[in-house]
Amino acid sequence: MAFRGNTRRDQKREDLVRRNERIRIPKVRVVDDDGEQLGVMATRDALDRAKEKGLDLVEVAPNADPPVCKIMDYGKFKYQQQKKLQEAKKKQTVIKIKEVKFRPKTDEHDYQTKLKNIVKFLEGGDRCKVTIFFRGREIVHKDRGLAMLERVVVDLQDLAKVESKPMSEGRTMTMMLAPVKK
């Protein structure tokens, strides 16, 4: 689907803020672009004052009695709001969950390789889900899977803490590890 500019949903959001001729209330409380209270006046007079300064009359508190309108540059206001949203988005951290799968018969070298991957994930600040997958008759030996998960916990005791203890669900046994705060 090609991008077609503003969608109807975006236009509706934009229409929620009434400005200039869209303000249909007869009297409004007006705040100047410097933040100075001008008092209650007719909407026409407030609109004329805004146009004299080359600015917009924007409704900032529509539920007040009478509604509060501010004389401001609406385009600049929207731009500043957009910048604030971008800054807030930059500061938030996204925690990813990485998964490493073992089998009860995982050999020593494979175990060490997967352990290195878990260490890399934890040092990167990600949580790690350790899964033991049982095939066929291996399901009878759940104690081997539990022993492997306990070995992982012991090997990573200084890097990770157990967020959720080993749980068995069907043919899998899972455990969540979270990095230790330094």
Side-chain angles (χ1 to χ4, degrees):
M1 182 177 192
F3 180 71
R4 296 184 187 138
N6 283 351
T7 62
R8 285 186 184 179
R9 192 178 324 140
D10 293 337
Q11 289 171 350
K12 284 181 184 175
R13 266 193 228 123
E14 198 171 295
D15 290 344
L16 291 176
V17 179
R18 288 185 284 203
R19 61 188 188 282
N20 297 335
E21 284 78 23
R22 290 191 176 166
I23 302 171
R24 301 203 183 278
I25 294 114
K27 291 194 175 206
V28 292
R29 183 175 305 278
V30 182
V31 178
D32 199 1
D33 56 330
D34 300 326
E36 188 178 314
Q37 294 269 346
L38 299 179
V40 178
M41 62 175 67
T43 306
R44 278 278 127 224
D45 297 338
L47 197 55
D48 290 340
R49 282 199 181 191
K51 285 188 178 178
E52 282 175 14
K53 293 186 175 188
L55 300 172
D56 300 306
L57 184 67
V58 181
E59 193 175 49
V60 290
N63 297 332
D65 187 37
V68 180
C69 294
K70 187 170 183 179
I71 297 173
M72 66 169 81
D73 184 355
Y74 185 69
K76 184 177 178 183
F77 172 71
K78 267 181 46 179
Y79 175 77
Q80 288 171 342
Q81 277 188 326
Q82 192 176 9
K83 283 294 179 189
K84 284 180 187 176
L85 283 173
Q86 285 177 346
E87 284 298 317
K89 208 172 192 180
K90 280 183 189 176
K91 290 179 184 174
Q92 70 182 183
T93 56
V94 178
I95 298 173
K96 296 178 184 168
I97 298 176
K98 304 286 188 169
E99 184 174 13
V100 178
K101 292 184 178 181
F102 288 94
R103 295 258 326 276
K105 292 182 179 177
T106 302
D107 202 30
E108 182 60 31
H109 183 264
D110 293 336
Y111 172 82
Q112 292 300 329
T113 303
K114 292 178 184 215
L115 197 67
K116 283 180 189 174
N117 286 335
I118 295 172
V119 168
K120 185 172 68 174
F121 297 147
L122 291 171
E123 287 176 346
D126 297 324
R127 293 178 7 198
C128 193
K129 180 178 181 180
V130 183
T131 304
I132 307 280
F133 185 73
F134 298 98
R135 276 190 176 155
R137 291 186 178 174
E138 290 176 351
I139 197 76
V140 178
H141 301 289
K142 285 195 175 186
D143 55 324
R144 285 187 182 173
L146 191 60
M148 187 168 285
L149 289 177
E150 288 171 356
R151 182 177 172 199
V152 168
V153 171
V154 169
D155 290 345
L156 298 172
Q157 63 188 356
D158 53 332
L159 282 175
K161 63 181 179 186
V162 178
E163 201 169 77
S164 69
K165 296 188 176 179
M167 294 181 347
S168 184
E169 191 175 303
R171 293 196 163 274
T172 61
M173 188 179 285
T174 58
M175 170 179 69
M176 286 293 292
L177 298 175
V180 173
K181 302 281 183 193
K182 293 176 184 172

